[in-house]
Amino acid sequence: MRRLLTVLAAGVPLAAAVYLPTASAETKDPSATSAFVCSAPAVKAPAGTEVESVTAVGRQGGTIAGTGVLGGSVSGVPAYCEVTVILTHPGDNDHAKVRTWLPVTGWNGRFQGLGGAAYLAGDNNVGLGTAVKSGYAAVSTDAGVGDALDTSWALNSEGRVDTALLENFASRSQHEAAVVGKDVVDAAYGKRPSYSYFTGCSTGGRQGYMEAQRHPEDFDGILADAPAVNWDEFEVATLWPQIVMNNEKTYPSQCEFTAFSNAAVKACDSLDGVKDGLVDDASRCDFDPRRLIGTKVLCEGKELTVTTADATVVRKIWDGPRTASGKKLWYGVPVGADIWALAAHTDPDAGGNVIGSPFPVPAAWLKLWVAKDPSLDLSAITYSRFAQLFRQSQTEYDKVIGTDDPDLSRFRKSGGKLITWHGEADQYIPTQGTVQYRQKVERELGGAKKADDFYRLFLAPGTNHCGLNGLDGSADGLAALTAWVEHGKAPRTLPATLVNDQGQKVSRDLCGYPQVSRYKGHGDPAVASSFKCVSPSRH
């Protein structure tokens, strides 16, 4: 994630990390080591589609470079066969590419579907390479759309939303990729996968939830992290920091935002019983930014005094979007998360004018899909206009891409298992949206214990968006998922490496929601064994 934040600072913002599940529970399938021929198989078109072409190319492996703005690479990838199937939906004039990578030797009998990031519907090769390196046959689809920040497909030549491509991106292409990928595996190895998994973070996490809701038999296990569920709501909500600054005509500097975040972390650090540089259960942190009014902050050699207006902006950003009359619309930036990620702006010019720099993913959603106006001036949106656009997004797109249907009864009945971790300092997708969805599932299915039978949520203190990807911390969610699916070992905790506010790596066992971590009163705070999981205190 640090690499991604460096790219952000260079002016190329990204919506999510490249997701790299580590796939530790490997089981080689000896029946899959027979002679392998890389050839284009006959592929049956999934319902509602036609197959335009099928090709197969043998690849040597080695170091695989990630495409597009996400970049990245993975080394040590063994030889594999890449089968590419182009699908179209008659009458829609779309062309969705489904790529299946097949290990030439050492297939472990498992199948993995890979999700995307931002407006990228699938993987950019790094995840596919990682899966093959771990012995998986893997599939990904581009859904007929573009790269992570490419929204050229949003509107057609008449200025209307391209509903076919939106449906591809929102739901149908991921299911079709699962169907095609399994057929390709069957043709290549002479047998279908023993187990099928889906992994993704951010957009990929949303796709995992969509699969569980609409196509519950596609995958035995789904690892859906920092999921972009509630898309129609949070995408608009993430423009709120810009709306606040523009309407309040106050633009705190990046340094000042950091001072507010640091003060909140310091004030709420001991909620778990020890000062360890991490805020456990950030939703309970009630630090009032007005406590900093009048204090001095050193920013790039200049001493700044925190004003009442600065504190008002931060309080509104943390609180989240509301209507002009004060009704809450959605959750705000979590306390402790990087506010600047959504509240970036230029330095004042000679006349003191500041221009906001909205994060491009929600900016595109609001301009293209909601307002249908690429020239919409986001800086001129009032609080009341914002609330109207928020409601419009809900009305038009909840059933299309909301992905917040709590009825997972069919997924539970199919025997599926779902694991999610979400960073409590997620700067792009408010953690509480995921918590709210889990609570809705509990109400729908009859309580927390019934939900826990197949669905576990883990919140990661101090962790940013998709931050447990091995750079700013790590957690082997796929190992936990395979152990649950294949051996019935439900994860009570999820072992993780976190990074505290001093940049130090510490070990933690993430607690299954709703439990939180509490210091035992003795032992090294950097070691997981010094903590236990307890029910949260009333707050």
Side-chain angles (χ1 to χ4, degrees), residues 478-492:
L478 188 53
L481 186 61
T482 54
W484 194 6
V485 168
E486 299 174 25
H487 305 291
K489 297 179 180 178
R492 295 184 60 186

Side-chain angles (χ1 to χ4, degrees), residues 103-385:
V104 172
T105 60
W107 179 46
N108 63 17
R110 301 187 183 101
F111 174 76
Q112 186 179 150
L114 293 157
Y119 293 108
L120 176 67
D123 184 66
N124 77 333
N125 291 341
V126 177
L128 286 164
T130 302
V132 167
K133 184 177 179 179
S134 299
Y136 285 74
V139 72
S140 183
T141 177
D142 69 1
V145 299
D147 196 22
L149 300 179
D150 178 6
T151 55
S152 60
W153 54 274
L155 304 178
N156 61 25
S157 58
E158 299 173 343
R160 296 192 180 96
V161 171
D162 190 319
T163 55
L165 289 180
L166 180 59
E167 185 180 357
N168 282 3
F169 176 72
S171 59
R172 65 180 176 182
S173 285
Q174 203 57 250
H175 165 63
E176 289 157 4
V179 173
V180 167
K182 290 178 187 178
D183 281 350
V184 170
V185 167
D186 192 10
Y189 300 121
K191 57 182 291 187
R192 296 184 72 79
S194 300
Y195 298 98
S196 296
Y197 297 93
F198 181 88
T199 59
C201 194
S202 195
T203 281
R206 185 197 62 75
Q207 291 166 324
Y209 274 81
M210 184 67 84
E211 279 290 291
Q213 292 164 20
R214 298 196 184 181
H215 305 284
E217 296 183 355
D218 279 353
F219 297 99
D220 302 298
I222 294 173
L223 180 63
D225 301 320
V229 295
N230 313 296
W231 179 286
D232 54 301
E233 289 143 335
F234 92 83
E235 280 297 3
V236 182
T238 45
L239 283 174
W240 180 245
Q242 296 285 329
I243 303 300
V244 169
M245 293 189 300
N246 291 331
N247 279 270
E248 302 297 324
K249 295 181 170 46
T250 299
Y251 300 83
S253 67
Q254 183 174 8
C255 178
E256 288 173 294
F257 280 132
T258 299
F260 279 104
S261 293
N262 289 345
V265 170
K266 184 178 180 180
C268 296
D269 188 352
S270 58
L271 284 175
D272 58 1
V274 65
K275 285 190 174 293
D276 57 355
L278 292 168
V279 176
D280 196 276
D281 194 8
S283 66
R284 293 173 58 231
C285 181
D286 58 0
F287 175 78
D288 189 338
R290 289 173 292 191
R291 288 168 57 180
L292 289 191
I293 293 173
T295 61
K296 308 291 186 182
V297 178
L298 190 63
C299 294
E300 297 179 356
K302 298 179 181 178
E303 191 176 70
L304 303 177
T305 301
V306 176
T307 66
T308 300
D310 294 330
T312 296
V313 165
V314 172
R315 183 170 55 83
K316 285 179 176 288
I317 289 174
W318 279 344
D319 180 56
R322 292 181 181 269
T323 66
S325 63
K327 183 177 181 181
K328 192 170 185 65
L329 293 172
W330 200 247
Y331 306 97
V333 174
V335 174
D338 177 19
I339 302 173
W340 186 256
L342 298 179
H345 55 75
T346 65
D347 291 331
D349 62 16
N353 299 308
V354 175
I355 300 174
S357 305
F359 189 55
V361 179
W365 178 256
L366 197 68
K367 286 183 176 183
L368 302 176
W369 281 274
V370 183
K372 290 89 172 171
D373 179 7
S375 64
L376 178 68
D377 182 2
L378 298 179
S379 68
I381 296 176
T382 62
Y383 285 134
S384 57
R385 172 66 170 151

Side-chain angles (χ1 to χ4, degrees), residues 456-509:
R456 301 283 172 104
L457 170 63
F458 302 91
L459 303 182
T463 301
N464 60 18
H465 187 58
C466 294
L468 298 184
N469 64 355
L471 295 176
D472 277 6
S474 61
D476 198 343
L478 188 53
L481 186 61
T482 54
W484 194 6
V485 168
E486 299 174 25
H487 305 291
K489 297 179 180 178
R492 295 184 60 186
T493 61
L494 186 63
T497 298
L498 305 181
V499 179
N500 66 17
D501 63 350
Q502 300 299 310
Q504 300 164 330
K505 291 188 176 181
V506 300
S507 67
R508 283 287 185 280
D509 290 332

